[in-house]
Amino acid sequence: MVQLSFLSLVLAATSAVALELFVPEPCTFTATPTPTTSIPVGKRDPKGLDALAQRKRRYFGVAFDVNRMSDAAYTQLILAQFGQITAENSLKWETTEPSRGVFNFTNGDIVVKTAQRNKMSCQSIAPLRAHTLVWHSQLPSWVGNGNFTKKELISVMKNHINNVAGHYRGVPYAWDVVNEAFNEDGSFRQTVFYSTIGEEYIDIAFKQARLVDPKALLAINDYNIDGQGPKSTAMINLVKNARKRGVPIDQIGAQAHLVVGTLPTTIRENWQAMANLGVWVAVTELDIRMPTPANATSLAQQAADYKTVVNACLAVSRCVGVTVWGASDKYSWVPEVFSGEGAPLPYDDNLAPKPAYNAIVQALKA
Ligand code: XIL
């Protein structure tokens, strides 16, 4: 009973001692093969974001990956401030199974070992989110254009879950099992999984993930499910109905890729409605972008917006933590994807804290 034990641990997590119980195998995992790159070691800041979040029985996490580790100052900042890591790219299908049946965990292992070597799993509530098993994007073409029959694609998907979730079994506190299943109007996105297998691909993926890693919380993750609207409604209905059928969905991940000055006004109510289903809510990929270059006004608005999001999570007792999608603007995915926009993270290009950072601290301290 993952949910029950998780619940009791969250409830028990009011005391520092109980925090260590949260993750099943805290500091013992040894990934294989041994990465050749050295694993960075940092020093946790006792006044950093995760330390503050823990006082509110939350974690504060960050997307990080091997390609950032050559920046030593940045790596130290990550290990000082944050208590949870999501591999930004290294656990995606194109990386972990680039050709059929050929698995590559080299970079994933480095990220996982970094979390472990820094004893994030001992000091943090939730050291590692694993992202992601079934997603239409960053999917190798052998899957997307494989012309598989329904039966074949189910087998391909199960095999991927068996190998990837199996490799890290017992380590992540949560897995993003299905990512971005919906269109903006709440209909299902026409991915290769949906078109070939039908809606049941979601049930099959979650059931398989539970079989393979019974200790991980299993999440369905999406963007634009922060405020109320058709996409949030679709997510709520899917999770409600799936759980009625016994499908093991434990957590809804709200990516929270947001735009400065345009936050939905119903974030707290919406996340509460999700939590009311009996699942956990996690803010999984928070960033709040703006037209660049930034100025004092946009930075101030961004600070207010970060505060709104962190406060919304703190107001929903089943919201377990907040993960930002990178720490410094220098390394954000935003400018590459949204032309003319950027500066969405709490640290600037020079790794200096922005007003947004101070606003998060204020929210966590309040
Ligand atoms: C992004 C990464 O940040 C980029 O480095 C990569 O090129 C594309 O993917 N939703 C998700 C994340 O679930 O996996 C995406 O990450 C951002 C949007």
Side-chain angles (χ1 to χ4, degrees):
M1 289 298 291
V2 167
Q3 285 156 253
L4 270 184
S5 61
F6 181 74
L7 174 60
S8 51
L9 290 174
V10 165
L11 293 176
T14 38
S15 82
V17 177
L19 289 175
E20 294 192 6
L21 297 174
F22 192 70
V23 173
E25 293 163 36
C27 301
T28 52
F29 171 77
T30 2
T32 51
T34 305
T36 46
T37 318
S38 64
I39 305 296
V41 183
K43 195 164 179 290
R44 182 176 169 89
D45 178 352
K47 292 184 184 143
L49 296 179
D50 187 65
L52 294 175
Q54 278 203 13
R55 294 208 231 137
K56 301 280 192 191
R57 290 177 292 130
R58 306 293 196 284
Y59 59 81
F60 214 94
V62 67
F64 186 54
D65 219 319
V66 176
N67 60 343
R68 306 300 179 217
M69 291 182 188
S70 51
D71 184 335
Y74 186 63
T75 302
Q76 290 307 309
L77 185 156
I78 295 283
L79 297 174
Q81 292 288 323
F82 299 95
Q84 176 267 318
I85 289 180
T86 305
E88 185 168 358
N89 289 298
S90 287
L91 293 181
K92 293 173 178 176
W93 198 315
E94 68 178 6
T95 307
T96 53
E97 194 185 5
S99 337
R100 190 170 182 178
V102 177
F103 291 91
N104 182 344
F105 300 114
T106 308
N107 282 356
D109 284 0
I110 294 171
V111 177
V112 169
K113 283 198 155 205
T114 299
Q116 295 194 310
R117 177 140 180 215
N118 289 279
K119 299 207 189 306
M120 284 190 169
S121 51
C122 295
Q123 297 182 2
S124 307
I125 300 181
L128 202 76
R129 292 192 94 258
H131 172 81
T132 175
L133 292 168
V134 182
W135 187 29
H136 65 279
S137 187
Q138 293 179 279
L139 183 70
S141 64
W142 72 264
V143 184
N145 304 327
N147 290 315
F148 293 115
T149 63
K150 175 172 177 172
K151 203 173 152 203
E152 284 166 347
L153 190 59
I154 290 175
S155 146
V156 161
M157 190 176 77
K158 283 185 172 175
N159 189 53
H160 184 75
I161 295 171
N162 288 346
N163 280 278
V164 179
H167 182 74
Y168 294 106
R169 182 197 321 267
V171 178
Y173 100 88
W175 254 113
D176 287 331
V177 177
V178 171
N179 197 30
E180 302 182 351
F182 292 108
N183 294 316
E184 293 307 296
D185 66 1
S187 59
F188 282 105
R189 191 191 286 272
Q190 300 285 316
T191 69
V192 68
F193 302 106
Y194 183 81
S195 311
T196 311
I197 302 173
E199 196 179 323
E200 65 182 299
Y201 88 87
I202 297 177
D203 294 22
I204 296 169
F206 276 91
K207 286 180 178 166
Q208 196 65 24
R210 175 68 96 231
L211 277 178
V212 175
D213 188 352
K215 289 177 176 166
L217 294 176
L218 304 183
I220 182 161
N221 195 48
D222 216 323
Y223 60 93
N224 289 346
I225 55 163
D226 311 303
Q228 293 167 345
K231 202 171 180 180
S232 291
T233 303
M235 176 63 91
I236 287 171
N237 288 336
L238 177 123
V239 171
K240 192 198 298 169
N241 294 327
R243 282 166 60 88
K244 267 190 211 148
R245 294 193 298 273
V247 178
I249 304 182
D250 308 306
Q251 186 183 80
I252 296 176
Q255 291 183 6
H257 292 296
L258 298 166
V259 178
V260 161
T262 72
L263 259 53
T265 53
T266 52
I267 298 180
R268 185 181 54 75
E269 292 87 339
N270 188 50
W271 289 348
Q272 186 63 58
M274 292 174 173
N276 290 346
L277 300 172
V279 294
W280 306 102
V281 175
V283 183
T284 55
E285 303 183 14
L286 176 62
D287 54 19
I288 313 184
R289 61 190 186 264
M290 60 173 78
T292 45
N295 58 43
T297 312
S298 57
L299 290 172
Q301 182 64 50
Q302 181 180 53
D305 291 345
Y306 264 96
K307 203 174 206 178
T308 300
V309 175
V310 173
N311 280 336
C313 181
L314 293 176
V316 174
S317 60
R318 295 180 74 99
C319 180
V320 289
V322 175
T323 307
V324 282
W325 207 241
S328 156
D329 292 340
K330 186 178 179 181
Y331 295 127
S332 169
W333 72 302
V334 166
E336 277 164 33
V337 176
F338 301 93
S339 129
E341 295 177 274
L345 292 168
Y347 289 87
D348 71 14
D349 287 344
N350 302 313
L351 309 187
K354 294 162 62 184
Y357 176 88
N358 298 323
I360 298 170
V361 168
Q362 272 177 24
L364 292 174
K365 276 188 171 168

